[in-house]
Structures are given as C-alpha cells and as structure tokens.
C-alpha cells in the first residue's frame, strides 16, 4: 500500500524528533566542550557557549601524551581487525564448504566457547602471556585476534551457507584449487560480512578498557581508552578536558559506522545478490 505525502511527512517528523531526543546528550556534550569551566557548571545550563574556546581541545590533548595513546589504539585496532577478518573467514569457509569427520562436533565446541566469559580466562591468559614475556607489550591485545572469534566465525559461516555450490564448482572446472576459490570467489562475496566483522571488532577493541588495564603497565604503551581513564583520574574536577578527549575518542567509531552502515545491513541478511 502506497503512503500519502502527508503520512510520509508525519513519519519523518516523528523520526526526526526521536533522533533529536537520543542525540541531545551528545549535542550538549559537544557544545559544552567549547565552554569555560564556569559555564559548564552554571545553573540553569545554557546550550551555546558565550565564547567558542577551540583551544580547549588543544590544551586537553597536550595535557597528556594522547598522540602516543592514539597511535597505540590504531595499532591494536588495525592489527586485531585484520587478524579477525583473515582467520575467521578461513575457518568459516572450512566449516561452510567442506565435509569432514567430526565437523559438526567441532563447530558445536567452537560455539560453546561463546558461553565462557572473558573473566574466567583472564587469569590463565595473563599467566600464559607472562611466560611468553608479552606483558607490558601490545602483543596480548593483537595476537589472540589472529586465532579467530567464535561469534565472527558463526556470522561468516551462516553467510557462506547461503552461497550456491555452483560458484565453486565452476571455479574447480576452471582449475582453481581450494585456496584460490576462497580468495577469488568467496572473499568478494563475503565483503558485507567482512565489513560487519571489521566494524564490530573495531568498536569493541577501540573502546576496550579492561584488556589494556591488565596487560599494560608502561604509560607509553597505553591505548586511548586507558589513557582517558587515567586522564579522568588526574582531572576529576575538570569537566572540559574530559569532554574534549571523550569527543575525540568517539569520532572514529561514529565515522566508520556511518560509512559502513549499508554493508552492516547486508552482512546480517545472510544472502547474496
């Protein structure tokens, strides 16, 4: 049934008001970051600052080595995302397109690991990484991602299950081996799922606080989330610096999500064009 123009206008207005309602805390936080400390705590509060103080961001950024924290976060985020995409797609390809003895049992064991909270494996992992000499390095935050994640493997496997067998049969007739089929046939088809996994992993790793807190000791190895927490401890009575760094930290995930939202929808649909 086709909606009338009036109905569409009403729906768009309601959706806009709902979006504004949910965005209002972030909008207020953004405008407050440009205020003075006195304006930030003034009552009744005002949305717009009397004078836009752009130097608030520069002063907050220079108060701590946030450039180093940002670089560490980028290294960890990129390293884990690449590892998850490659390892999870390979494992998902094996579970979805190959038949071997014990496949279903192995897949059930893999899924059962999702029920084990990270808090349970935290201490054994710390002891293991200490034996390897990885404590106070970025290795414990990056290398485990190269062994895959059960949830991401499940997502990709379900997506691959919907791909017709004709694709790989045609490739085998042309002389392609299993790895060539994976790389040249299924990796392009998996693009929506790969982007979905990349975005989900990026957001979780970018905002991760507990992992860096446990494995990192040297301040020069801190990620942005851990550096922000330490910064809050030093500036607990100063609102403006905390808001400035928080805004800088949430900008990359928002940009990535906006760019990739189309592929996120496709990646969760479990179908191909």
């Amino acid at each position: 049934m086709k909606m009338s123009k009036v109905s569409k206008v009403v729906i768009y207005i309601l959706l806009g008001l709902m979006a504004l309602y949910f965005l209002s805390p972030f909008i207020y936080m953004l405008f407050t970051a440009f205020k003075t400390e006195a304006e930030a705590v003034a009552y009744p509060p005002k949305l717009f600052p009397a004078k836009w103080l752009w130097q608030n961001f520069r002063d907050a950024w220079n108060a701590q080595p946030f450039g180093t924290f940002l670089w560490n976060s980028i290294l960890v985020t990129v390293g884990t995302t690449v590892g998850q995409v490659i390892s999870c797609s390979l494992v998902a390809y094996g579970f979805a397109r190959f038949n071997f003895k014990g496949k279903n049992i192995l897949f059930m064991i893999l899924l059962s690991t999702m029920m084990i909270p990270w808090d349970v494996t935290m201490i054994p992992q710390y002891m293991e990484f200490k034996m390897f000499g990885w404590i106070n390095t970025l290795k414990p935050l990056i290398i485990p991602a190269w062994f895959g994640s059960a949830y991401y493997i499940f997502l990709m496997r379900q997506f691959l299950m919907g791909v017709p067998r004709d694709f790989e049969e045609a490739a085998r007739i042309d002389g392609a081996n299993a790895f060539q089929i994976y790389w040249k046939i299924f990796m392009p088809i998996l693009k929506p799922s790969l982007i979905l996994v990349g975005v989900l992993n990026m957001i979780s790793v970018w905002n991760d606080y507990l992992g860096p807190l446990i494995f990192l000791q040297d301040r020069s190895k801190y990620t942005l989330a851990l550096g922000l927490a330490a910064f809050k401890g030093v500036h607990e009575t100063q609102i403006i610096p905390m808001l400035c760094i928080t805004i800088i930290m949430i900008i990359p995930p928002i940009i990535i999500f906006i760019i990739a939202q189309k592929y996120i929808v496709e990646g969760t649909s479990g179908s191909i064009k």
Side-chain angles (χ1 to χ4, degrees):
M1 190 172 95
K2 200 171 183 181
M3 287 191 300
S4 64
K5 290 184 178 180
V6 177
S7 300
K8 288 183 179 180
V9 170
V10 172
I11 291 174
Y12 287 144
I13 291 174
L14 291 175
L15 291 176
L17 291 174
M18 289 181 63
L20 183 62
Y21 173 77
F22 287 108
L23 288 174
S24 56
F26 300 98
I27 295 173
Y28 183 77
M29 178 179 69
L30 178 62
F31 288 144
T32 304
F34 294 96
K35 299 177 182 178
T36 62
E37 288 286 342
E39 284 184 292
V41 298
Y43 186 85
K46 294 182 179 180
L47 179 61
F48 298 103
K51 183 180 179 182
W52 296 80
L53 301 176
W54 293 88
Q55 64 268 25
N56 288 346
F57 288 88
R58 183 193 60 200
D59 295 341
W61 187 261
N62 294 331
Q64 298 284 340
F66 282 107
T68 302
F69 301 161
L70 176 62
W71 176 245
N72 292 337
S73 289
I74 292 174
L75 285 178
V76 173
T77 302
V78 173
T80 56
T81 301
V82 172
Q84 293 285 13
V85 166
I86 294 176
S87 60
C88 293
S89 60
L90 274 170
V91 177
Y93 171 60
F95 277 119
R97 313 308 290 191
F98 290 93
N99 292 318
F100 52 90
K101 189 174 181 180
K103 181 178 86 169
N104 294 331
I105 296 175
L106 287 175
F107 188 66
M108 291 302 297
I109 293 174
L110 175 70
L111 293 183
S112 66
T113 61
M114 295 171 60
M115 296 185 291
I116 304 174
W118 189 75
D119 309 69
V120 175
T121 61
M122 179 173 57
I123 295 177
Q125 280 188 356
Y126 183 88
M127 296 172 64
E128 179 183 3
F129 294 147
K130 188 175 182 181
M131 289 175 57
F132 293 160
W134 290 359
I135 299 299
N136 200 30
T137 69
L138 299 179
K139 293 178 182 178
L141 304 176
I142 299 176
I143 293 178
W146 285 81
F147 293 89
S149 166
Y151 178 61
Y152 298 150
I153 292 171
F154 173 75
L155 283 179
M156 293 189 185
R157 186 249 187 190
Q158 295 304 108
F159 191 94
L160 286 173
M161 292 291 285
V163 179
R165 291 278 179 180
D166 300 345
F167 286 86
E168 54 193 304
E169 290 174 1
R172 284 199 178 94
I173 292 174
D174 290 337
N177 57 36
F179 184 78
Q180 289 174 327
I181 293 173
Y182 156 76
W183 187 254
K184 295 183 178 180
I185 304 297
F186 287 106
M187 284 298 276
I189 293 174
L190 269 172
K191 182 180 177 181
S193 283
L194 295 175
I195 294 176
L196 172 63
V197 168
V199 172
L200 292 177
N201 181 78
M202 194 218 87
I203 293 175
S204 63
V205 172
W206 185 265
N207 296 319
D208 183 27
Y209 169 73
L210 187 57
L213 179 65
I214 293 172
F215 299 123
L216 302 179
Q217 300 167 356
D218 190 353
R219 198 174 185 82
S220 63
K221 301 291 194 306
Y222 279 11
T223 60
L224 201 54
L226 193 57
L228 176 60
F231 185 68
K232 287 181 178 179
V234 175
H235 299 269
E236 58 184 355
T237 60
Q238 299 181 22
I239 299 174
I240 302 302
M242 290 189 295
L243 289 180
C244 292
I245 300 301
T246 302
I247 290 171
I248 294 173
M249 184 174 176
I250 66 176
I251 286 176
I254 291 176
I255 293 175
I256 294 297
F257 183 82
I258 291 173
I259 295 174
Q261 60 180 334
K262 171 187 172 184
Y263 299 100
I264 291 174
V265 174
E266 293 181 10
T268 55
S269 62
S271 60
I272 61 172
K273 294 182 180 179

